Amino acid sequence: MKFNEFYHNVYLPAHKHPMTVRFHSKGVDLMVLSLCMAACLYNTEIWPGLIIFGIGTNISLAVMSHRLFEQNSPVFWDSPKHAIYAILSEFRLWWNN
């Protein structure tokens, strides 16, 4: 399966509820902000915590939105290839919203 097929046939149907899209977008916002802060604070002791916080917050918001609004599980868990496509799809969804 090509990426565009995955995005339109698997990823988007699993993200129909507007709140799921909003939770995903806010998760990516926080992750990007945390990673930028970690890059700026690389010479301090806080940068690893910022990376963990950013990635953990993003995953937590995504999983929570699927449980609360979609009543499904994230496609990230389906297979290793789906995991890569899901990460790329999340950024595409974020960029388009």
Side-chain angles (χ1 to χ4, degrees):
M1 179 181 295
K2 304 275 187 206
F3 173 71
N4 279 332
E5 293 173 14
F6 173 84
Y7 183 72
H8 292 290
N9 298 330
V10 177
Y11 192 80
L12 286 181
H15 298 82
K16 292 178 185 174
H17 198 285
M19 288 303 291
T20 304
V21 175
R22 188 168 291 168
F23 270 58
H24 276 272
S25 294
K26 295 305 168 195
V28 174
D29 287 344
L30 289 170
M31 182 177 67
V32 169
L33 178 64
S34 296
L35 294 177
C36 289
M37 289 173 59
C40 291
L41 299 170
Y42 180 72
N43 291 328
T44 67
E45 295 176 2
I46 195 171
W47 74 269
L50 289 169
I51 291 173
I52 293 168
F53 171 79
I55 294 171
T57 302
N58 183 29
I59 292 170
S60 299
L61 287 172
V63 170
M64 185 176 16
S65 70
H66 281 279
R67 299 281 188 247
L68 291 173
F69 305 114
E70 300 285 352
Q71 283 79 45
N72 62 17
S73 63
V75 296
F76 183 86
W77 312 120
D78 292 347
S79 73
K81 189 173 186 178
H82 279 186
I84 293 167
Y85 280 174
I87 293 167
L88 296 173
S89 296
E90 186 166 20
F91 281 102
R92 182 172 175 181
L93 184 74
W94 174 68
W95 186 259
N96 291 335
N97 285 308

